[in-house]
């Protein structure tokens, strides 16, 4: 369970630090 | 600490490792040298549970990597030829991730990470994303990560590839310091003879999948009647340039190059 949480946290950090991913995830529903 | 008997590995008709045997004592720094395609990485892969041997036996701290792979994995750290850091994360986050995955107790994590980052002179850079690190800093961080879960053995597969002499010198000083402080056994491969000469207590020279010579630096020099490890190495393995089959990482790089065109 701990390993799953750590890997999830890593994915969140990847997401937050990737501007392109944030822009596309917000922009896609609008489009 | 490491006991290998008659170890062999075959890929189809090609025998990459042909029945090698050696012992590495606890706390020893052991260098495994050989030309490209000699079987060094295949041997490390078998020792680190990544590849099943075709024949022979391996014992790491008394355990068989084939039948006790999880227990064996907890007992060693490894630094691969190719970088394996998460470059989006900071130095601290990379080590925290590794510590959590290796089950380092929560109470000891921060203390252990701080100790290693200070030892490898990366404490001031702990909150910097590793993508901004130089090659030497990334390598130091990878080695610090290898020591994080207090392994009994550290495998270093050409850790100084592509580093400048200053970074190489500094990196080996750090490895030696941790080896002496914590008594970790170090099993390394390198193409730089001066490094093996300076760091290793015993050296094995491997060629065409077999060990052609093994002993201390003085023993190898005496055995070959040469003045340096490089001369001994060339005498034992010859001066012909070897072809090496591309590894999966090389194949990926070639694919990426073709894709960009």
């Amino acid at each position: 369970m701990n390993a799953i949480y750590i890997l999830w946290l890593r994915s969140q950090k990847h997401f937050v630090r990737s501007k392109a991913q944030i822009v596309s995830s917000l922009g896609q529903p609008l489009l | 600490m490491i006991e290998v008997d008659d170890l062999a590995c075959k890929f189809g008709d090609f025998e990459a490792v042909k029945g090698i045997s050696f012992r590495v004592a606890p706390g020893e720094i052991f260098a495994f040298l050989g030309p490209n395609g000699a079987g060094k990485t295949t041997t490390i892969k078998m020792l680190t549970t990544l590849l099943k041997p075709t024949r022979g036996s391996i014992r790491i701290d008394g355990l068989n990597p084939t039948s006790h792979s999880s227990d064996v994995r907890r007992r060693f750290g490894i630094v691969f030829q190719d970088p394996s850091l998460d470059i989006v994360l900071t130095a601290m986050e990379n080590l925290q991730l590794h510590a959590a995955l290796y089950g380092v107790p929560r109470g000891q994590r921060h203390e252990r990470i701080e100790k290693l980052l200070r030892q490898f002179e990366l404490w001031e850079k702990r909150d910097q994303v590793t993508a901004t690190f130089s090659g030497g800093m990334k390598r130091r961080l990878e080695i610090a990560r290898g020591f994080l879960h207090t392994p009994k053995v550290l495998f270093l597969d050409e850790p100084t590839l592509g580093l400048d002499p200053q970074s190489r010198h500094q990196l080996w000083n750090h490895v030696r310091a941790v080896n002496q402080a914590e008594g970790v056994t170090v099993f390394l491969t390198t193409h730089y003879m001066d490094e093996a000469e300076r760091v290793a207590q015993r050296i094995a020279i491997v060629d065409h999948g077999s060990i052609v010579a093994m002993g201390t630096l003085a023993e190898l020099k005496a055995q070959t009647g040469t003045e340096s490890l490089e001369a001994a190495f060339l005498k034992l393995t010859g001066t012909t340039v070897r072809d090496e089959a591309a590894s999966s990482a090389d194949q990926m790089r070639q694919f990426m190059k073709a894709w960009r065109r």
Side-chain angles (χ1 to χ4, degrees):
Chain A
M1 205 60 196
N2 186 41
I4 293 169
Y5 168 70
I6 287 295
L7 293 173
W8 172 81
L9 196 63
R10 175 177 165 264
S11 303
Q12 294 306 306
K13 285 185 177 173
H14 271 251
F15 179 75
V16 169
R17 285 171 197 177
S18 166
K19 278 180 193 151
Q21 269 190 306
I22 295 173
V23 169
S24 65
S25 65
L26 292 172
Q28 206 177 27
L30 290 173
L31 283 169
Chain B
M1 183 55 66
I2 305 175
E3 295 168 49
V4 172
D5 284 301
D6 193 30
L7 186 68
C9 186
K10 244 179 155 182
F11 300 104
D13 291 336
F14 175 67
E15 200 169 20
V17 178
K18 301 172 183 168
I20 59 169
S21 303
F22 59 86
R23 299 274 184 281
V24 182
E28 188 178 7
I29 301 184
F30 186 80
F32 204 59
L33 310 180
N36 288 336
K40 305 184 296 292
T41 302
T42 307
T43 306
I44 286 203
K45 281 184 177 170
M46 288 190 282
L47 294 174
T48 55
T49 74
L50 297 175
L51 198 62
K52 274 191 179 170
T54 317
R55 187 182 79 227
S57 78
I58 305 171
R59 286 274 180 279
I60 307 273
D61 196 25
L63 295 169
N64 182 348
T66 314
S67 55
H68 298 87
S69 54
S70 299
D71 292 326
V72 170
R73 281 176 195 161
R74 275 188 210 105
R75 283 169 164 76
F76 70 76
I78 184 162
V79 178
F80 296 101
Q81 271 178 30
D82 293 300
S84 60
L85 287 174
D86 191 329
I87 56 163
V88 175
L89 302 184
T90 65
M92 185 61 118
E93 287 166 349
N94 263 288
L95 296 192
Q96 280 169 340
L97 174 76
H98 183 89
L101 292 176
Y102 269 86
V104 177
R106 218 174 261 269
Q108 294 170 18
R109 261 180 228 170
H110 189 80
E111 191 190 337
R112 181 82 185 142
I113 290 173
E114 182 176 345
K115 187 184 168 193
L116 282 166
L117 285 177
R118 284 190 190 282
Q119 224 160 9
F120 282 83
E121 294 173 48
L122 289 167
W123 180 245
E124 308 302 323
K125 310 275 183 191
R126 63 189 180 279
D127 293 325
Q128 253 184 44
V129 170
T130 50
T132 62
F133 279 18
S134 69
M137 285 161 74
K138 282 181 186 161
R139 242 31 191 139
R140 269 171 18 227
L141 182 61
E142 281 189 286
I143 294 178
R145 190 181 60 177
F147 281 118
L148 187 59
H149 57 289
T150 47
K152 292 189 173 181
V153 186
L154 182 68
F155 290 98
L156 302 171
D157 192 5
E158 296 180 31
T160 51
L161 203 70
L163 296 186
D164 60 37
Q166 287 86 349
S167 303
R168 283 168 45 200
H169 178 81
Q170 196 189 27
L171 191 143
W172 288 119
N173 282 347
H174 290 310
V175 170
R176 264 206 304 211
V178 182
N179 161 263
Q180 279 162 14
E182 300 186 2
V184 182
T185 307
V186 179
F187 184 98
L188 66 99
T189 72
T190 179
H191 282 302
Y192 301 108
M193 298 295 131
D194 58 311
E195 287 179 353
E197 223 166 343
R198 197 162 62 91
V199 179
Q201 285 141 11
R202 264 183 337 121
I203 298 160
I205 296 177
V206 60
D207 196 16
H208 299 296
S210 305
I211 291 177
V212 290
M214 186 160 50
T216 60
L217 177 62
E219 283 166 356
L220 291 180
K221 283 188 205 168
Q223 201 180 318
T224 51
T226 50
E227 289 299 313
S228 67
L229 180 60
E230 187 161 342
F233 181 85
L234 289 173
K235 195 165 181 180
L236 289 161
T237 60
T239 52
T240 325
V241 176
R242 309 299 168 80
D243 289 330
E244 185 183 27
S247 68
S248 51
D250 295 328
Q251 285 167 4
M252 188 71 87
R253 278 188 209 109
Q254 280 165 12
F255 174 76
M256 288 306 286
K257 268 186 196 166
W259 182 257
R260 280 191 209 112
R261 273 187 214 134

